[in-house]
Amino acid sequence: MYFINQRLFLRLWRVPIMTASHSYQSQVRRPVAVCQDLTVMAALGLGFFTSNLRRHSWSSVAFNLFMLALGVQWAILLDGFLSQFAPGKVVIKLLSIRLATRSAMSVLISVSAVLGKVNLVQLVVMVLVELTVFGTMRMVIYNIFRTDYHMNMMYIHVFAAYFGLTVAWCLPKPLPKGTEDKYQTATSPSLFAMLGTLFLWIFWPTFNSALLTNPIERKNAVFNTYYALAVSAVTAISVSSLAHPRGKINMTYMHNAALAGGVAVSASCHLIPSPWIAMVLGLVAGLISIGGAKCLPVCFNRVLGIHESHNVHYTFGLPGLLGEIAYIVLMALHVVWASSNMIGFQVLLSTGAFSLAMAMSITSGLLTGLLLNLKIWKGPHVAKYFDDQAFWKFPHLAVGF
């Protein structure tokens, strides 16, 4: 009887310890899993996302990894310098790595607009300048408008897109003669680019929910992001088929619009109360992305003189603008539902933060573009645009292998 009671006592005594240990392991595993998902998005998703050109696919993947590694290190140091004032040390946590990885993704998005027309040294300059401005913008918005980590980071799409477009505007405006042949897609590179889109599509719910601390908001963010992504993917295939006289699907439209829904709900994914709102945003974002890719290139190339390499405006810029407008509307409705008199103040705060992000993006992009035009960087000759042979020791690339 004594042994039975002792065994029962030991069993009861161990239960809370095992439960606490299990709870501790789950608390540790989730941030680690989130960091892994974000790294897969950045390294594989955005790496292959820009690899659709037949003569500039190797550089897209390798330079993406280089900028990610450099950007994460610089973002961690920068975040420590800006937000931690303890002398002589910077405290690095799992949250620091998450924030740094997401900040580095802003550069990877921006570079999509100029990739193939700049060398590695110019990319290093672009990484350092953009991450510095992006980190400063986040700190200023946090201190002035008192927004949380999630909302600070969700300006990433419009900031990165219009930063990259402004840099592209400063580079040689018309597409140089002799590069038209190299600026073409091929079957295998397009397939790898679509593979990058699939990686981003799969992990985008993690991206939108990574910085949310409330479990209910995190669950809503995951569900609403998936709804929007699913609708935008269906919209991309359907509208692309309808737009073609013979009902054929355009891989470029699919490549751009499949992610538009995830971008459009990034800012407001935790505020959306019903799935149909997320689905409508995914539908509108997909239509805007395809419509922009079909109609706006003439305006951008001829009127504004902007030539972007990988359609960053239609994948991140326009859906990001839609997402910011949707966030402001939902914030206003949330204040109304809460029977508060602060609706005008909340709308003013959200509009002010968004306007500040856009202003800093365009201004810093202009200065960065002018800086990259300096001859000290020895940028690639126009004859070497969109050509891996300028950076890789593979002679067979000269004949378009």
Side-chain angles (χ1 to χ4, degrees):
M1 187 68 178
Y2 170 79
F3 290 107
I4 294 177
N5 293 336
Q6 184 184 36
R7 187 174 300 174
L8 179 62
F9 171 78
L10 290 175
R11 183 176 300 174
L12 293 175
W13 178 74
R14 289 177 181 174
V15 168
I17 295 180
M18 293 177 64
T19 304
S21 176
H22 178 72
S23 176
Y24 174 77
Q25 291 177 1
S26 64
Q27 291 176 1
V28 173
R29 285 175 182 173
R30 185 187 177 275
V32 172
V34 170
C35 289
Q36 291 175 343
D37 291 350
L38 294 176
T39 304
V40 170
M41 286 185 67
L44 295 179
L46 290 174
F48 285 108
F49 182 78
T50 56
S51 63
N52 58 329
L53 299 183
R54 70 185 188 93
R55 297 280 292 275
H56 197 266
S57 56
W58 294 40
S59 300
S60 299
V61 178
F63 289 176
N64 182 87
L65 177 61
F66 172 79
M67 290 183 291
L68 173 63
L70 176 65
V72 168
Q73 296 176 73
W74 178 243
I76 289 176
L77 293 176
L78 187 66
D79 185 65
F81 296 150
L82 293 176
S83 61
Q84 301 175 21
F85 300 100
K89 65 179 180 179
V90 173
V91 180
I92 300 176
K93 306 176 182 178
L94 284 175
L95 178 61
S96 304
I97 299 178
R98 274 186 284 172
L99 290 172
T101 304
R102 292 166 67 100
S103 298
M105 290 176 70
S106 68
V107 181
L108 305 184
I109 295 172
S110 298
V111 166
S112 301
V114 298
L115 202 59
K117 297 184 285 187
V118 291
N119 61 19
L120 203 55
V121 179
Q122 291 172 308
L123 291 178
V124 170
V125 175
M126 191 169 174
V127 168
L128 298 179
V129 173
E130 182 173 357
L131 284 181
T132 302
V133 176
F134 186 68
T136 304
M137 180 206 71
R138 289 178 46 236
M139 183 192 68
V140 171
I141 290 179
Y142 173 77
N143 290 327
I144 295 178
F145 301 98
R146 294 298 175 183
T147 56
D148 56 10
Y149 281 128
H150 171 79
M151 197 56 224
N152 278 344
M153 193 60 69
M154 284 312 166
Y155 295 114
I156 182 174
H157 305 298
V158 292
F159 181 92
Y162 290 99
F163 182 96
L165 289 173
T166 310
V167 174
W169 180 78
C170 296
L171 295 178
K173 296 192 171 44
L175 193 64
K177 293 182 179 180
T179 59
E180 294 86 352
D181 179 64
K182 290 183 289 185
Y183 189 71
Q184 299 292 332
T185 59
T187 302
S188 295
S190 294
L191 183 60
F192 281 115
M194 194 60 206
L195 178 64
T197 301
L198 293 179
F199 273 113
L200 293 173
W201 196 93
I202 291 171
F203 290 105
W204 209 276
T206 301
F207 179 84
N208 283 356
S209 62
L211 298 179
L212 294 171
T213 56
N214 189 311
I216 297 178
E217 290 184 347
R218 191 187 308 136
K219 181 192 70 173
N220 291 339
V222 171
F223 288 168
N224 290 323
T225 303
Y226 179 77
Y227 299 146
L229 284 170
V231 173
S232 63
V234 173
T235 303
I237 297 178
S238 304
V239 176
S240 176
S241 178
L242 291 174
H244 194 275
R246 298 182 180 179
K248 295 184 178 181
I249 301 172
N250 189 321
M251 180 63 83
T252 302
Y253 295 163
M254 181 66 187
H255 186 225
N256 294 335
L259 301 173
V263 176
V265 300
S266 291
S268 57
C269 55
H270 61 297
L271 298 176
I272 297 177
S274 301
W276 69 268
I277 300 177
M279 298 174 76
V280 169
L281 283 175
L283 173 64
V284 176
L287 293 175
I288 289 176
S289 180
I290 294 179
K294 189 174 180 62
C295 304
L296 290 183
V298 176
C299 174
F300 262 56
N301 295 344
R302 297 179 183 177
V303 179
L304 300 179
I306 299 177
H307 177 269
E308 54 167 320
S309 303
H310 296 92
N311 296 327
V312 64
H313 190 212
Y314 320 123
T315 307
F316 299 99
L318 295 178
L321 290 176
L322 173 66
E324 296 300 332
I325 295 172
Y327 172 77
I328 293 173
V329 173
L330 287 173
M331 280 294 296
L333 293 176
H334 182 73
V335 173
V336 171
W337 293 333
S339 300
S340 174
N341 296 324
M342 301 292 290
I343 177 171
F345 182 69
Q346 290 293 336
V347 171
L348 184 63
L349 282 180
S350 301
T351 306
F354 172 62
S355 301
L356 178 61
M358 287 291 295
M360 294 187 68
S361 170
I362 295 174
T363 303
S364 59
L366 178 62
L367 296 176
T368 305
L370 296 176
L371 181 62
L372 295 184
N373 270 330
L374 298 178
K375 294 183 179 180
I376 60 175
W377 313 118
K378 297 181 180 180
H381 191 270
V382 293
K384 296 296 183 180
Y385 278 8
F386 311 114
D387 198 338
D388 278 332
Q389 192 185 17
F391 307 101
W392 295 91
K393 191 179 178 179
F394 291 104
H396 59 267
L397 291 176
V399 295
F401 178 78

